[in-house]
Amino acid sequence: FELADKFASSNVAVYLFDMSGFGSSDGVPFNPTIEELIIDLKSVLTQVRNKRPTFLYGHSLGAVVALTFLLLNPTCDIAGLMISSPIVSIPKEIKQNLIKSLFMRYISKFFDIYVASTMVNPTAITKNNFYVRQLLMSQNNTILGLKLANDLLESFEFIKEEIHNFKFPLLVMHGTADIYCKAEESKWLAKSARSEHKRFVLLKEFCHEVYLERGERDVFREIKGFIFKVLPKLISKDRN
């Protein structure tokens, strides 16, 4: 919310929403399909769309949803995409092999509501002690529905196969201290995209939740700089 407040105070309209199954939204807790999450995003865009340029920001799972949505909708009227700590492979801390992957895909067809532990240690997600305490107090911070887990595996493959077709302006940010997602893969995403304007930013000593770190002003500066670099090109294109 702090990041959103900073942009709001800069006269930027910011819209935050909880995807189905998360936060205060309806749906089976932690077990929607990627398709359902994309429908959520489409619904929000329909409600907030106006004549002003619209940028998307997605973090972690949100980055997967935003990337998948734009790859499926290459003519969508979106000015640019900013993502941080995108999950495009099985996190390093989750012990995963081919047999487990195949088992997950098989069992998810029969037990949609069954949840599995993600083995995420909240104390390694961020150095923000207040947020860590909130996660530790929650009993649901380390679970993920098998249906969603299976969808994520398929989304990882889809993104890696189609990223070379991605043409929207793109900003990718990743922390060097992120032990769950590989910064090398974020760098690869930015490099592989066909975007005319793209930028990869490696944030030193930032954990997975980059916007919660003490240096969050760096994240704000990068996003703001990205937006103001893309906007003049959009305005020039509209005039022509």
Side-chain angles (χ1 to χ4, degrees):
F1 291 107
E2 293 83 358
L3 190 61
D5 286 340
K6 286 186 177 181
F7 278 104
S9 63
S10 300
N11 295 320
V12 176
V14 181
Y15 298 88
L16 306 174
F17 71 98
D18 289 329
M19 296 185 291
S20 295
F22 294 90
S24 301
S25 291
D26 293 334
V28 179
F30 312 105
N31 205 28
T33 63
I34 291 295
E35 182 180 1
E36 290 170 339
L37 299 183
I38 287 177
I39 291 175
D40 288 346
L41 179 54
K42 284 184 177 180
S43 177
V44 172
L45 288 175
T46 299
Q47 294 182 53
V48 306
R49 185 61 55 84
N50 50 47
K51 295 182 180 180
R52 299 176 181 177
T54 302
F55 290 82
L56 291 180
Y57 172 62
H59 172 73
S60 196
L61 171 61
V64 176
V65 175
L67 276 170
T68 303
F69 168 71
L70 291 178
L71 284 169
L72 291 171
N73 298 274
T75 60
C76 182
D77 186 20
I78 291 296
L81 173 66
M82 299 90 70
I83 58 176
S84 57
S85 310
I87 303 178
V88 289
S89 68
I90 299 297
K92 292 182 289 186
E93 287 297 296
I94 300 178
K95 305 302 180 181
Q96 181 78 13
N97 56 41
L98 179 59
I99 295 178
K100 289 183 179 180
S101 177
L102 293 174
F103 176 74
M104 181 187 298
R105 294 189 178 198
Y106 176 78
I107 199 173
S108 66
K109 298 177 182 179
F110 305 98
F111 301 96
D112 282 351
I113 305 180
Y114 186 81
V115 295
S117 172
T118 61
M119 299 173 65
V120 171
N121 180 359
T123 61
I125 290 179
T126 175
K127 297 175 184 176
N128 186 318
N129 291 330
F130 174 75
Y131 188 69
V132 168
R133 285 194 295 269
Q134 285 185 312
L135 288 175
L136 289 173
M137 290 173 61
S138 171
Q139 297 181 352
N140 299 320
N141 64 72
T142 61
I143 62 174
L144 188 68
L146 283 181
K147 183 169 62 175
L148 177 56
N150 178 59
D151 265 19
L152 282 173
L153 290 174
E154 295 180 355
S155 293
F156 298 159
E157 296 173 2
F158 173 74
I159 290 172
K160 290 181 177 180
E161 290 174 359
E162 298 295 328
I163 190 62
H164 63 280
N165 292 320
F166 191 92
K167 297 182 180 180
F168 296 90
L170 176 65
L171 170 65
V172 183
M173 299 173 289
H174 209 115
T176 60
D178 187 345
I179 66 172
Y180 298 111
C181 304
K182 300 176 182 178
E184 294 81 4
E185 292 191 341
S186 287
K187 185 177 182 179
W188 176 84
L189 277 178
K191 183 178 180 180
S192 301
R194 293 179 62 188
S195 311
E196 181 179 345
H197 179 73
K198 55 186 180 181
R199 176 172 169 77
F200 171 69
V201 179
L202 194 60
L203 301 164
K204 293 184 179 180
E205 298 184 8
F206 276 55
C207 294
H208 185 69
E209 304 290 344
V210 297
Y211 54 89
L212 292 175
E213 301 299 86
R214 291 182 178 179
E216 65 164 13
R217 61 184 179 278
D218 295 336
V219 176
F220 174 74
R221 184 176 63 249
E222 289 293 343
I223 294 177
K224 186 176 181 179
F226 173 78
I227 292 175
F228 282 96
K229 192 165 186 177
V230 171
L231 280 178
K233 296 181 180 180
L234 293 175
I235 295 173
S236 175
K237 185 181 295 186
D238 289 341
R239 288 176 177 175
N240 295 331

